[in-house]
Amino acid sequence: MNMNEYQEKAAETAIFPEKEALSYLALGLTGEAGEVANKVKKLIRDGHLDTTSIIDELGDVMWYVAMLCDYFKVDLKYVANMNLYKLNNRKKAGTLGGSGDKR
């Protein structure tokens, strides 16, 4: 399955109030990313990393990213390609390790 197919199939499972879509999706994304971070935090506390649970949460993160792409009417593949283009330009410029959005 490619990224755009994933986005289309994920949209078939989307249930949320349309008038609150942006807030719902952005908050959901941060919540799921927080769950990934929480699993990593437990590694510090317990010395055990629950990889299966992290992978499950990463899938939830992907769903929210895909639905935000839907909201903004952009393909997930386009966003992924633009991100790689940006990162490759930073690599060429030697600014991968720098800070700030426009480097």
Side-chain angles (χ1 to χ4, degrees), residues 17-41:
E18 201 57 38
K19 72 178 202 171
E20 299 293 334
L22 181 57
S23 297
Y24 179 88
L25 294 170
L27 291 170
L29 175 59
T30 58
E32 295 299 340
E35 289 189 43
V36 171
N38 196 45
K39 304 280 185 209
V40 174
K41 176 202 74 176

Side-chain angles (χ1 to χ4, degrees), residues 43-69:
L43 170 65
I44 296 167
R45 185 188 70 195
D46 302 333
H48 177 287
L49 186 61
D50 185 353
T51 306
T52 302
S53 291
I54 289 177
I55 291 167
D56 185 55
E57 297 302 340
L58 288 172
D60 293 339
V61 168
M62 281 185 60
W63 186 90
Y64 280 100
V65 170
M67 293 306 89
L68 280 164
C69 287

